[in-house]
Amino acid sequence: MRHIKQCSDRESEGYEMAKLVINEYQELGKINEEIYGHFAEHLGRCIYEGLYVGEDSPIPNTRGMRNDVVQALKEMKIPVLRWPGGCFADEYHWKDGIGPRENRKKMINTHWGGVVEDNSFGTHEFMELCEQLGCKTYINGNLGSGSVQEMSEWVEYLTFDGVSPMADLRAKNGHEAPWKVDYFGVGNENWGCGGNMTPEHYADEYRRYQTYVRNYHPENPIYKVCGGPNVDDYAWTKGVLETTHRNCLPALHGNMDGLSVHYYVHPEGWETKGSATEFDDAVWYRTLSKALYMEQLIERHGAIMDQYDPEKKIGMIVDEWGCWFTVEPGTNPGFLYQQNTMRDALVAGVTLNLFNKHCDRVKMANIAQMVNVLQAVILTEGEQMILTPTYHVFRMYRNHQNATLLQSHIQTREIGVEEIYPVPDLQESVSRDQEGNITITLNNLSFTEDREVEVIFAELEPEKIQGTILQGEAHAYNTFQEPERVQEEAFTSFTRKGTHITFTMPAHSVLQLRVS
Ligand code: AHR
């Protein structure tokens, strides 16, 4: 084991100070706000306890939704929420979750922990939650074990505003007006838990099912997401696109707006996964290197998409991503509850920067999952709630939402411990919002070393600079006893001269600078 490059190499290579060069005149595309999206599945304590406690709960709530959690998510500026799964989606029958709650079916959540699912959180509750959050809606339909009719009727129930059996049923259940469904997923992981299909078979099914995902509001159409690959399954991407694009569908646009991609980071591999809180420097770099692998996935799946869709009309929808570690000791293995350290913050920081930089193809992403599951932004215990380091990264990056990506380049050196898992020491993205403010988000991936950085604009001489930083010991995380151990702090230790800003970035930290 060795460092790929020792620190002493730096001076001889002229790397004393890393230069981050920004061309504020070169605009590279719009960063969709949906890149900062989230995912909530009927899994463990994500929906029940984490988001929904019911109207009679002693935990303060509004129509059953936890006030503290809703407030925190609004402050983070959540743009879109995906529901009800995941694997749960392809076993979910939406009619079980409507009507008087006392009459709703109780069943076993066979996929996740074998607990009773009482369906008390269903369609009306999800739409209510999104209304309270002020976010867009992304519903995932059941293609694996549901019927075309069931999917079609769900869309009718949700969105039709004339006289029809489903619109009447919605009104009978207390919601006369239709809702707006922004995104609709036609199945989930249909190569696995969604039916173990071949790409060709799924793609044929996709063609059929999506036909009946009707757009009742053509001026405001539903964005349809086709089920894409797992990680590096390029044959799936190719097979699905070949079949969906065969003999037809020049009208395909409108029939497929997005293609999903799922990728989780497991430092020790899928079987072993690895601890969320205990790791050494080698595992630190391995985790970050695996997170950065996302770029290769975007580029290679993107290259296949380019063959069928050179104008990039179909969005890449990374609707599941994040760290998947071994569950916290003593918790239900089916609940996927894990802690969240500065390492998760860096994974979120580098991944969101990658999505920004590939915003020509990546149109939405949804971290898994929002509360109490996998790389959550919020953890709860009874009436207590804590914000994780990942939450703070999403909050620090919120000004990138709907901003314009600017050209930037940072000088880096390769660091790491294991030869096959190198990472750059720094990584950035830069955007400008509609008011003209420039947001720089920068990560120092080093386990041990601070780094001096010099930001250089083409011509801009910053007048106003505001910064926030997330830093702490690499293993640091928030607990219910010590909820503010890792949190955003003001960052003012920079100097500015003309077009230059200089500062030192602490080891393993995430920085956000807002410049105008
Ligand atoms: O997020 C947990 C699970 O991971 C989802 O249910 C599934 O889609 C994926 O395999």
Side-chain angles (χ1 to χ4, degrees):
M1 304 229 294
R2 67 184 182 87
H3 278 274
I4 290 168
K5 275 187 186 154
Q6 300 296 337
C7 325
S8 53
D9 295 343
R10 283 194 292 168
E11 280 168 26
S12 58
E13 292 181 9
Y15 279 117
E16 313 82 347
M17 195 178 272
K19 292 185 175 29
L20 163 53
V21 180
I22 299 171
N23 181 351
E24 66 271 21
Y25 297 112
Q26 191 68 50
E27 299 188 339
L28 300 177
K30 182 183 168 212
I31 298 171
N32 264 7
E33 61 181 356
E34 285 86 344
I35 281 178
Y36 290 82
H38 290 261
F39 168 39
E41 179 166 9
H42 287 242
L43 194 178
R45 297 183 303 113
C46 183
I47 300 282
Y48 301 112
E49 290 183 44
L51 289 159
Y52 182 74
V53 287
E55 284 149 23
D56 301 330
S57 170
I59 298 174
N61 69 84
T62 303
R63 291 181 284 287
M65 313 299 157
R66 285 181 77 125
N67 292 343
D68 52 354
V69 171
V70 167
Q71 187 53 32
L73 292 170
K74 281 168 81 170
E75 278 166 24
M76 190 193 68
K77 212 172 156 204
I78 176 175
V80 62
L81 180 59
R82 174 177 184 241
W83 171 84
C87 294
F88 185 80
D90 278 293
E91 288 189 275
Y92 184 60
H93 300 286
W94 68 272
K95 284 186 184 163
D96 296 345
I98 56 169
R101 286 201 195 102
E102 59 281 10
N103 298 341
R104 295 187 194 174
K105 265 189 201 163
K106 289 192 179 34
M107 59 212 262
I108 301 296
N109 187 336
T110 44
H111 220 97
W112 301 118
V115 290
V116 174
E117 164 63 62
D118 68 2
N119 280 300
S120 55
F121 188 96
T123 301
H124 290 247
E125 290 75 18
F126 174 68
M127 297 314 269
E128 166 70 28
L129 173 64
C130 291
E131 224 164 282
Q132 290 189 26
L133 292 171
C135 75
K136 291 182 182 157
T137 53
Y138 178 9
I139 289 187
N140 213 114
N142 177 349
L143 180 143
S145 71
S147 67
V148 173
Q149 182 181 355
E150 182 181 9
M151 188 180 286
S152 172
E153 286 185 342
W154 200 7
V155 174
E156 180 187 328
Y157 186 90
L158 284 155
T159 61
F160 188 65
D161 62 357
V163 176
S164 85
M166 291 303 113
D168 292 350
L169 183 59
R170 184 186 66 230
K172 190 172 147 234
N173 287 331
H175 208 278
E176 187 134 6
W179 291 286
K180 171 136 173 39
V181 173
D182 298 289
Y183 294 88
F184 195 89
V186 183
N188 168 74
E189 297 196 350
N190 302 92
W191 38 262
C193 65
N196 286 307
M197 300 176 189
T198 63
E200 293 73 23
H201 179 73
Y202 167 72
D204 273 332
E205 290 293 81
Y206 176 82
R207 288 170 66 132
R208 189 162 72 105
Y209 275 70
Q210 71 77 30
T211 307
Y212 304 95
V213 175
R214 300 278 186 214
N215 272 314
Y216 294 109
H217 306 277
E219 70 297 347
N220 225 343
I222 296 174
Y223 186 107
K224 296 178 195 172
V225 181
C226 176
N230 186 31
V231 196
D232 57 354
D233 187 353
Y234 301 112
W236 178 274
T237 302
K238 179 108 187 130
V240 165
L241 291 177
E242 186 64 33
T243 308
T244 51
H245 282 64
R246 187 174 302 138
N247 305 331
C248 79
L249 303 185
L252 188 72
H253 293 305
N255 293 338
M256 185 202 291
D257 302 294
L259 181 73
S260 71
V261 174
H262 289 183
Y263 174 51
Y264 287 98
V265 171
H266 312 289
E268 311 284 355
W270 165 247
E271 293 296 331
T272 311
K273 297 191 177 68
S275 161
T277 52
E278 288 166 25
F279 47 86
D280 60 14
D281 54 354
V283 178
W284 166 275
Y285 288 117
R286 196 184 309 154
T287 309
L288 293 181
S289 180
K290 288 188 175 191
L292 288 162
Y293 179 59
M294 180 69 88
E295 180 151 48
Q296 197 180 124
L297 297 174
I298 294 170
E299 286 171 351
R300 294 187 68 179
H301 286 297
I304 298 169
M305 291 173 79
D306 286 348
Q307 293 170 26
Y308 297 90
D309 172 40
E311 291 170 37
K312 300 193 195 305
K313 289 187 176 159
I314 300 176
M316 187 182 289
I317 307 294
V318 189
D319 54 15
E320 289 187 30
W321 69 271
C323 292
W324 187 326
F325 300 126
T326 307
V327 298
E328 284 303 300
T331 64
N332 186 330
F335 279 16
L336 310 186
Y337 178 76
Q338 63 191 41
Q339 251 298 353
N340 196 294
T341 67
M342 277 304 297
R343 179 176 57 158
D344 295 77
L346 266 296
V347 168
V350 299
T351 307
L352 292 170
N353 275 346
L354 287 178
F355 292 154
N356 288 349
K357 282 182 176 266
H358 290 276
C359 65
D360 60 333
R361 185 57 96 178
V362 178
K363 298 298 176 189
M364 173 160 64
N366 310 74
I367 191 170
Q369 297 192 7
M370 197 158 70
V371 188
N372 291 333
V373 171
L374 301 178
Q375 194 177 344
V377 291
I378 291 177
L379 302 177
T380 67
E381 210 172 87
E383 60 180 19
Q384 286 180 284
M385 170 193 87
I386 55 175
L387 307 175
T388 65
T390 301
Y391 172 94
H392 291 289
V393 172
F394 271 82
R395 194 171 177 285
M396 289 165 74
Y397 276 54
R398 71 193 182 287
N399 292 316
H400 284 308
Q401 292 187 26
N402 289 331
T404 302
L405 180 71
L406 297 180
Q407 191 183 57
S408 64
H409 174 76
I410 192 157
Q411 219 175 10
T412 59
R413 65 194 170 104
E414 220 171 57
I415 55 170
V417 172
E418 298 163 307
E419 202 85 35
I420 55 165
Y421 294 113
V423 299
D425 57 345
L426 296 165
Q427 189 246 24
E428 94 303 347
S429 74
V430 183
S431 72
R432 179 168 45 221
D433 69 15
Q434 284 176 348
E435 287 74 49
N437 302 302
I438 291 178
T439 299
I440 304 168
T441 46
L442 183 59
N443 299 288
N444 181 348
L445 286 73
S446 174
F447 195 65
T448 47
E449 284 174 49
D450 300 351
R451 190 81 161 94
E452 280 179 278
V453 180
E454 179 174 31
V455 176
I456 309 170
F457 288 97
E459 281 200 352
L460 177 78
E461 298 193 0
E463 284 175 10
K464 213 168 133 197
I465 306 171
Q466 279 178 334
T468 53
I469 191 161
L470 195 69
Q471 59 184 325
E473 204 270 315
H475 303 87
Y477 57 92
N478 294 331
T479 63
F480 294 93
Q481 294 69 41
E482 207 184 341
E484 293 180 352
R485 186 156 171 228
V486 184
Q487 59 174 331
E488 238 179 299
E489 296 157 22
F491 180 77
T492 51
S493 0
F494 47 79
T495 56
R496 105 185 70 161
K497 195 167 174 212
T499 55
H500 294 217
I501 311 170
T502 52
F503 50 86
T504 300
M505 251 199 106
H508 46 75
S509 64
V510 180
L511 176 70
Q512 178 265 154
L513 290 179
R514 203 145 156 77
V515 177
S516 53

